[in-house]
Amino acid sequence: MSGSSSLTVSSSTGQYGVTVAADGFTQLLIEDPDALLIVDQRFELLPELEGRQVLTITADEQHKTLSEVERLLIALRELGAGRSDRLVAVGGGVVQDVATLAAQLYMRGLPWKYAPTTLLGMVDSCIGGKSSINAGAFKNLVGSFYPPAEIVVDPSFLETLPDEAIASGLAESTKIAYCRGPETFASYLGLESNFGDDPEALILHSLETKRWFIEDDEFDNGSRRLLNFGHSFGHALEAATGFAVEHGIAVALGMLSAERFGRETDLGTAAPELVAHAELLARRGTGLSEAADRFDRSVFERSFLADKKHGSDGLHLILPSASGSVAEVVAERSDEVVAAATGSVVSVLDIVSS
Ligand SMILES: NC(=O)c1ccc[n+]([C@@H]2O[C@H](COP(=O)([O-])OP(=O)(O)OC[C@H]3O[C@@H](n4cnc5c(N)ncnc54)[C@H](O)[C@@H]3O)[C@@H](O)[C@H]2O)c1
């Protein structure tokens, strides 16, 4: 592929490659003419897909469900897919989450490739092999690990992405860089200021940084847990506002809430540079006033308490630390702590929606 860069990720099921290239998507389809496609409905009519066997997904949180996975499994059977077939998923994080689980479950597993179409997919979710499926009001309650055989990041998909979705991807990239430490965060900020001219540099930086975490702790038992920064607050906020903001915007709000909560409870440390940057990104969300209006405290509290990281010893939260990065902190499972967490999110929503 012309002008391409690549990296390799090691996992327990083997290595897989990530190529970042402007003509990557076209090349991927040319190289695998018989693969079955699982595609965000928005791309159904792309000329490159003409004559191909295509299954579509509506890319929203309401479709990131087990019943959607089952619908795909049945559709694959009806298309006659067998164990020697391959899948290619094309879309953002929702398509990836549903396709990962469908690929893993269909006839006990088909190889699959992934072309992310959102910045969030390109800088974060495409590597690591996780599927995350919603169940009822609980975000990402169900999931597994099943890495793709190959990932092709084609930045030309960014041309049609709205500004909010760019900010959403940058929020996940901010999180990854901040979790790795001050030097990485500083180099991320430099690349972010030049993102319009050179998105590939930021994408590669983010993927290389995330690779460190997933190779160090593939199954989320140690360092990779730090990447949940912003997510305990962010996921609960998504549920409590009926998904009024995009996932990455919720993560930006979640990082701001975690920082505020940490400062006010003395469990974390002030992080001014992070706050300044995350606030700029969060303000690019379009559903902020709606989120503030719809915020349901009881749904927030229930979701916050249901976070999968928590243990019998208390609430496990990732908060800014004195090292200029983050640390996992265990907070007491008490009404006061939950009220402080809820208060932090309400204050942050007030600030960014004003
Ligand atoms: N599995 C993981 O490791 C992981 C990591 C992070 C996030 N996620 C999940 O990813 C989801 C969010 O994914 P996302 O933000 O990538 O987007 P998405 O899949 O939710 O899509 C958001 C919207 O953008 C549209 N879209 C996609 N590509 C486009 C393009 N090129 N141009 C214009 N519009 C486009 C979609 O049709 C949809 O309307 C969340 O459910 C989150 O939980 C998963």
Side-chain angles (χ1 to χ4, degrees):
M1 294 175 200
S2 60
S4 70
S5 323
S6 57
L7 66 148
T8 303
V9 180
S10 297
S11 79
S12 56
T13 49
Q15 292 195 325
Y16 53 95
V18 187
T19 306
V20 183
D23 61 348
F25 178 59
T26 310
Q27 289 302 322
L28 173 66
L29 295 184
I30 290 171
E31 281 163 20
D32 208 342
D34 300 323
L36 303 166
L37 292 138
I38 298 180
V39 174
D40 180 332
Q41 195 164 35
R42 140 181 336 264
F43 298 117
E44 191 177 11
L45 300 178
L46 278 183
E48 290 91 330
L49 302 181
E50 222 180 295
R52 306 284 300 233
Q53 289 194 303
V54 175
L55 299 173
T56 59
I57 295 180
T58 306
D60 59 29
E61 293 294 329
Q62 289 69 29
H63 287 82
K64 222 177 77 154
T65 58
L66 288 171
S67 50
E68 186 67 2
V69 174
E70 185 179 19
R71 181 188 69 79
L72 277 183
L73 297 175
I74 294 166
L76 284 169
R77 181 60 281 191
E78 286 172 354
L79 280 179
R83 298 206 64 186
S84 58
D85 278 304
R86 295 161 315 286
L87 305 178
V88 172
V90 184
V94 167
V95 169
Q96 180 196 332
D97 278 335
V98 174
T100 304
L101 193 59
Q104 181 175 26
L105 294 180
Y106 190 76
M107 297 188 175
R108 299 199 182 86
L110 296 188
W112 70 292
K113 298 178 181 178
Y114 177 43
T117 63
T118 59
L119 184 61
L120 183 144
M122 296 176 191
V123 297
D124 178 16
S125 67
C126 72
I127 62 170
K130 275 187 188 174
S131 63
S132 301
I133 302 292
N134 303 333
F138 299 107
K139 165 100 179 161
N140 290 356
L141 185 68
V142 179
S144 63
F145 292 89
Y146 192 63
E150 185 185 345
I151 297 156
V152 174
V153 174
D154 187 335
S156 43
F157 278 112
L158 298 177
E159 287 162 20
T160 54
L161 263 193
D163 181 67
E164 177 176 24
I166 297 287
S168 178
L170 290 173
E172 288 281 22
S173 197
T174 298
K175 173 208 73 178
I176 294 168
Y178 196 78
C179 288
R180 188 70 181 102
E183 265 181 39
T184 310
F185 186 54
S187 52
Y188 157 78
L189 288 176
L191 293 169
E192 197 269 344
S193 63
N194 195 35
F195 178 74
D197 290 332
D198 192 0
E200 285 88 350
L202 183 140
I203 292 167
L204 274 171
H205 179 269
S206 196
L207 291 175
E208 280 163 1
T209 308
K210 180 168 176 178
R211 177 175 60 178
W212 182 86
F213 287 97
I214 62 181
E215 290 189 343
D216 185 57
D217 172 27
E218 183 176 356
F219 297 114
D220 231 349
N221 299 310
S223 59
R224 188 173 180 179
R225 285 165 67 90
L226 299 179
L227 296 181
N228 284 296
F229 180 39
H231 283 66
S232 304
F233 292 84
H235 281 165
L237 182 148
E238 285 184 85
T241 58
F243 299 100
V245 292
E246 288 220 6
H247 175 68
I249 300 295
V251 171
L253 296 168
M255 290 189 283
L256 292 169
S257 305
E259 195 271 349
R260 177 171 280 262
F261 169 86
R263 229 176 336 111
E264 290 182 351
T265 57
D266 287 332
L267 290 168
T269 311
E273 277 200 337
L274 171 73
V275 168
H277 187 65
E279 200 176 308
L280 283 176
L281 295 176
R283 284 184 187 279
R284 287 162 68 178
T286 56
L288 298 171
S289 306
E290 190 191 340
D293 291 345
R294 286 174 72 170
F295 185 78
D296 182 325
R297 271 176 185 268
S298 60
V299 175
F300 177 85
E301 292 178 4
R302 207 160 9 112
S303 303
F304 186 74
L305 286 167
D307 192 288
K308 20 184 201 307
K309 282 185 310 305
H310 300 328
S312 53
D313 55 345
L315 306 176
H316 286 241
L317 300 170
I318 312 298
L319 303 178
S321 69
S323 65
S325 179
V326 294
E328 183 163 344
V329 168
V330 184
E332 197 189 337
R333 189 184 280 269
S334 67
D335 292 348
E336 290 73 26
V337 167
V338 175
T342 314
S344 302
V345 175
V346 170
S347 304
V348 164
L349 271 176
D350 265 1
I351 293 167
V352 296
S353 61
S354 62

